[in-house]
Amino acid sequence: PTWPLMGETFAPPGLYSTSPGWVAAFEDAITIQFNHRMFAYFLCAVVGGFALTLLLRGRPGYGAMVLGALVLQVGLGISTLLTHVAVPVAAAHQGGAVLLLTTLLVTAHVLVYPPAGAVESAQVSRQRDPAGRPVPFSGNSPRGTLEAA
């Protein structure tokens, strides 16, 4: 196993080469590894964007926590490949997935259900959309973010 290429190319020969092709997603090691990498790249972009948003929008502690768990998980994934799937590194990669998921769940919980007293001490947007609903986060105004008063 190599990284960032799979052998000598980004997309290795033999992807989805079984008949029927959808079986390869579950039984062909090359296709499984390629799909794992593509999903990892996608999640890295989405979770990285989420962490950056947290860092820039008034929740830097949670943004740093998410970003740290993401960087650890990516590093463990690459290390797993470069060590030819050494069991301790692969097991740590599995643990890193649990840590990243837990970090995201805790962050989502805190964003949806702020700790007691946090809402009262925050500046909450009074802006409204055209339908009259409150706009919780507006990037154009400091009043549109939840920040300590």
Side-chain angles (χ1 to χ4, degrees), residues 13-18 23-34:
L15 284 177
Y16 295 98
S17 61
T18 62
V23 173
F26 303 100
E27 296 183 5
D28 179 48
I30 292 171
T31 303
I32 292 168
Q33 179 57 229
F34 182 78

Side-chain angles (χ1 to χ4, degrees), residues 5 14 17 27 30 50 85 95 103 123 125 138 148:
L5 301 178
S17 61
E27 296 183 5
I30 292 171
F50 178 61
V85 195
T103 302
Q123 295 177 355
S125 171
S138 170

Side-chain angles (χ1 to χ4, degrees), residues 65-148:
M65 188 170 63
V66 169
L67 189 60
L70 178 64
V71 168
L72 176 67
Q73 179 63 356
V74 169
L76 287 169
I78 294 168
S79 298
T80 298
L81 287 171
L82 298 180
T83 61
H84 300 279
V85 195
V87 173
V89 182
H93 182 52
Q94 295 294 312
V98 173
L99 175 68
L100 179 58
L101 176 62
T102 303
T103 302
L104 288 168
L105 289 172
V106 166
T107 301
H109 180 79
V110 168
L111 292 175
V112 173
Y113 303 105
V119 174
E120 292 81 14
S121 66
Q123 295 177 355
V124 180
S125 171
R126 289 182 171 65
Q127 296 176 350
R128 303 269 178 194
D129 68 9
R133 295 181 300 252
V135 178
F137 297 102
S138 170
N140 299 331
S141 167
R143 293 177 53 127
T145 59
L146 287 176
E147 297 177 1

